[in-house]
Amino acid sequence: MTTLVTPVTHNASDALARLAAVIESRLPAQGGDPEKSYVARLLHKGPDAFLKKIGEEATEVVMAAKDADHGGDRSKIVNEVADLWFHTMVALAHYGFSPADVTAELERREGTSGIEEKALRKVHAREASEADSSND
C-alpha cells in the first residue's frame, strides 16, 4: 500500500493559529457579521448549528476512508478531515479555546498509554461524581 506523505514546508501550528485568529474575528463579540461570513453565520445560529456540522463532517471522514479502502480517491480523506478540523475550530472558538489548547493537551498526554489515559479519566470522573454527591 502506498502512503501519501506531504512534505511539511511550513509550520502547521502557525497555519492553525492563523485560521483560529480569523475564526475568532468572526465571533459575535468581535462584530462578526452573519450576512458576510459563513463562520459568523454558524456562530450566530449557536452551538446546534456548528455541532451538527461537526457530526456531518465526522461522518464524511468515515465515508471517505471507507471509500478509500475500496479503491476510492484517498485524497478525499484529507479534504474531509480539513472540513472536520475547521468546524471543530469554530466550536473551540465559541467555547473560548484555541488549537494551542488542544496541542497542550496532546503534549500532556504524550508518552502515556491510551489505555492508561482512558482509565485515568474514568477515575477522575468517578471522583468528581462522588464529590458532587457528598456536597448535596
Side-chain angles (χ1 to χ4, degrees):
M1 178 160 91
T2 305
T3 302
L4 296 176
V5 178
T6 303
V8 177
T9 56
H10 60 281
N11 188 332
S13 63
D14 288 347
L16 291 174
R18 286 191 306 274
L19 178 57
V22 170
I23 291 170
E24 288 173 22
S25 75
R26 305 303 197 265
L27 288 165
Q30 301 295 327
D33 184 350
E35 298 297 319
K36 296 180 181 177
S37 164
Y38 170 73
V39 171
R41 189 175 320 134
L42 274 178
L43 291 164
H44 179 75
K45 289 180 180 179
D48 284 350
F50 58 78
L51 296 174
K52 179 180 177 186
K53 286 300 296 179
I54 291 170
E56 290 171 6
E57 298 303 343
T59 299
E60 290 175 12
V61 169
V62 171
M63 292 169 53
K66 296 294 251 174
D67 288 347
D69 285 340
H70 298 284
D73 181 359
R74 293 168 35 103
S75 68
K76 287 184 179 181
I77 297 169
V78 172
N79 294 335
E80 297 303 343
V81 169
D83 291 345
L84 177 60
W85 284 14
F86 173 82
H87 288 91
T88 302
M89 288 175 66
V90 171
L92 285 171
H94 173 80
Y95 293 108
F97 296 106
S98 72
D101 296 308
V102 176
T103 302
E105 175 61 14
L106 291 171
E107 288 172 347
R108 185 191 67 76
R109 295 180 187 187
E110 191 173 0
T112 304
S113 157
I115 294 169
E116 291 172 13
E117 175 68 24
K118 187 173 182 180
L120 190 57
R121 278 186 267 148
K122 285 183 181 179
V123 167
H124 288 299
R126 185 171 43 249
E127 288 172 352
S129 176
E130 290 170 359
D132 288 344
S133 295
S134 66
N135 290 333
D136 290 340

